[in-house]
Amino acid sequence: MEKLTLHEDVRSGNCYKIRLTAALLGLPLERRNYDIMVGETRTPQFLAEVNANGRIPVLQVGSRFLPESNAACWYLAEGSALIPSDRWDQADMLRWMFWEQYNHEPTIATLRFWLYFIGEANLNEVQLAQLPGKRATGEAALALMDEHLDGREWFVGSAVSLADIALYAYTHVSEAGGFRLRDFGHVCAWLKRVAALPGYVAMG
Ligand SMILES: N[C@@H](CCC(=O)N[C@@H](CS)C(=O)NCC(=O)O)C(=O)O
């Protein structure tokens, strides 16, 4: 494989997904850090050379740049056991990864960012007005995960897949966004299973 470089902010769960995927697969990853709090991914140079969308993570493969965390995880894991070979399971895995980006990350990750990194006292009126809705949608996402994991070890089939990695990243730090993980017992048991995987690395 060509040289792999992760353009990241170490606090981001989206970036952590890629680090965790690489670690579980034993792939070497160089890392370049940016501080998103001071706009380091919005500079003309970053927009021109790394990601015109102004965001991390971006996985650099040789001289090519791949934004979007779940696409980057797929690139790393293609051909490995982290992507099921069964056609249905593969599509089901993608279902959870799309769901993560549409229902889970915009609520659970956003509340973590707003409350833990920005601080409630510094939120603007628009953000404050969105807090109750995001809280309710985030709790509904955790409840759906908990129900799905009742009687299952992993999100898809009988083995860990990218669906677990994508969902683990922000779920395991969701208490920083004010969510009560202890209300979701099956999710807690699953978090422990992910953390016990050989090669696991913590978010840091
Ligand atoms: N859908 C993207 C989301 C990327 C994203 O929102 N990145 C955030 C950090 S987690 C970011 O770069 N924010 C800085 C900014 O928007 O200026 C993915 O999965 O990679």
Side-chain angles (χ1 to χ4, degrees):
M1 203 181 272
E2 290 171 89
K3 180 176 157 192
L4 301 167
T5 307
L6 178 60
H7 297 259
E8 65 172 344
D9 183 317
V10 74
R11 299 163 291 194
S12 153
N14 283 320
C15 299
Y16 172 58
K17 288 174 197 173
I18 299 168
R19 291 203 304 280
L20 181 54
T21 302
L24 294 177
L25 294 170
L27 295 171
L29 197 57
E30 293 205 359
R31 295 164 63 181
R32 165 126 192 241
N33 203 61
Y34 300 80
D35 186 349
I36 58 171
M37 303 294 275
V38 296
E40 285 182 3
T41 61
R42 300 284 169 168
T43 64
Q45 189 184 1
F46 185 94
L47 296 173
E49 293 176 9
V50 183
N51 183 6
N53 196 30
R55 291 179 172 85
I56 44 81
V58 176
L59 179 67
Q60 182 179 352
V61 182
S63 58
R64 294 177 297 175
F65 294 84
L66 182 63
E68 293 299 327
S69 57
N70 289 342
C73 288
W74 177 284
Y75 180 85
L76 294 180
E78 215 272 326
S80 81
L82 289 178
I83 297 180
S85 51
D86 176 80
R87 184 175 179 168
W88 178 267
D89 285 351
Q90 210 172 87
D92 202 27
M93 182 192 83
L94 289 174
R95 172 266 281 233
W96 283 111
M97 292 168 79
F98 293 131
W99 180 82
E100 185 267 342
Q101 284 287 292
Y102 191 75
N103 287 87
H104 184 282
E105 194 256 18
T107 54
I108 294 174
T110 300
L111 282 194
R112 170 177 174 262
F113 184 64
W114 287 358
L115 299 177
Y116 189 73
F117 290 107
I118 298 181
E120 189 163 355
N122 302 315
L123 297 180
N124 62 39
E125 278 180 21
V126 176
Q127 290 166 324
L128 285 172
Q130 288 182 27
L131 283 181
K134 288 208 179 275
R135 165 95 36 236
T137 316
E139 280 170 359
L142 290 170
L144 189 124
M145 290 168 66
D146 205 57
E147 193 185 321
H148 183 73
L149 288 168
D150 184 1
R152 285 187 178 87
E153 291 205 342
W154 305 107
F155 268 86
V156 176
S158 57
V160 62
S161 73
L162 291 184
D164 300 286
I165 295 172
L167 286 166
Y168 179 83
Y170 283 112
T171 303
H172 86 295
V173 290
S174 60
E175 295 203 326
F179 295 96
R180 285 164 44 106
L181 275 176
R182 60 188 175 280
D183 292 346
F184 306 99
H186 302 297
V187 168
C188 289
W190 162 79
L191 291 176
K192 286 187 184 147
R193 279 193 286 280
V194 175
L197 289 168
Y200 173 87
V201 287
M203 190 164 174

